[in-house]
């Protein structure tokens, strides 16, 4: 009886709030993710873009063994080289998808570069940039255009 009272008076009134915020977070993440021709992704939240390499890129590279990230405080321009990824197959440069100042880097990649293989568009993010020119985002592709780009040619 006490448990039923607890759930009807306390838990239920808060359930719609939880559902609304979870739904909004999913929608917002989907709506703000963009891709480059060089197989980088960027997710924008309040003027700060979190970026990394795509799943397509990590599959092409193979097992990642080393990641070089930019330094916090670096000011970068769109398409500047900001680091590198080395794998058992090859090495690849990382290019900035937008212009701005690097405000954070994923420190975990120093100890666990395999995070890029396990979750390239999640835990394997590379850096966060405070975007200086949001108009540059218009040049990037949405998910549908990126998928078409990946399937259109064998060699990118």
């Amino acid at each position: 009886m006490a448990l039923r009272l607890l759930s009807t008076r306390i838990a239920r009134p808060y359930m719609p709030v939880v559902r609304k915020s979870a739904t909004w977070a999913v929608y917002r993440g989907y709506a703000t993710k963009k891709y480059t021709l060089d197989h980088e992704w960027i997710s924008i939240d309040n003027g700060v873009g979190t970026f990394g390499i795509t799943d397509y890129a990590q599959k092409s590279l193979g097992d990642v063994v080393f990641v070089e990230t930019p330094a916090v405080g670096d000011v970068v321009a769109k398409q500047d080289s900001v680091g590198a990824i080395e794998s058992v197959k090859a090495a690849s440069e990382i290019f900035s998808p937008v212009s701005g100042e690097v405000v954070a880097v994923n420190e975990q990649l120093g100890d666990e570069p395999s995070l890029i293989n396990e979750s390239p568009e999640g835990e394997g993010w590379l850096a966060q940039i405070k975007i200086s020119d949001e108009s540059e985002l218009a040049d990037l592709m949405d998910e549908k255009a990126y998928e078409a780009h990946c399937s259109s040619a064998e060699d990118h």
Side-chain angles (χ1 to χ4, degrees):
M1 177 86 165
L3 184 58
R4 184 178 298 170
L5 283 174
L6 176 68
S7 67
T8 57
R9 290 190 179 165
I10 296 175
R12 275 196 197 146
Y14 294 104
M15 290 306 288
V17 173
V18 172
R19 284 189 201 126
K20 284 181 185 176
S21 63
T23 304
W24 177 247
V26 169
Y27 170 75
R28 189 167 183 199
Y30 173 76
T32 60
K33 198 170 219 180
K34 300 281 191 169
Y35 299 87
T36 69
L37 293 172
D38 295 320
H39 305 287
E40 285 108 10
W41 61 268
I42 184 165
S43 180
I44 300 90
D45 187 21
N46 294 326
V48 176
T50 301
F51 77 96
I53 67 168
T54 63
D55 189 49
Y56 181 93
Q58 73 84 17
K59 285 178 183 174
S60 298
L61 284 170
D63 293 335
V64 175
V65 294
F66 176 76
V67 178
E68 178 187 347
T69 57
V72 173
D74 285 356
V75 176
V76 297
K78 183 176 181 177
Q79 293 300 310
D80 276 359
S81 177
V82 293
I85 296 178
E86 294 179 16
S87 71
V88 293
K89 288 186 192 177
S92 180
E93 283 188 283
I94 302 165
F95 299 100
S96 176
V98 292
S99 300
E101 179 184 352
V102 177
V103 294
V105 295
N106 189 348
E107 301 289 341
Q108 287 183 298
L109 295 177
D111 297 329
E112 295 180 75
S114 62
L115 281 175
I116 290 180
N117 295 114
E118 295 165 10
S119 179
E121 297 185 34
E123 295 297 313
W125 61 277
L126 298 168
Q128 293 181 333
I129 295 180
K130 183 173 183 176
I131 301 170
S132 60
D133 184 3
E134 292 201 15
S135 67
E136 293 175 342
L137 297 170
D139 298 335
L140 303 177
M141 296 177 280
D142 62 8
E143 186 174 6
K144 188 175 180 179
Y146 178 70
E147 287 173 2
H149 167 68
C150 289
S151 63
S152 67
E154 291 292 320
D155 189 27
H156 292 267

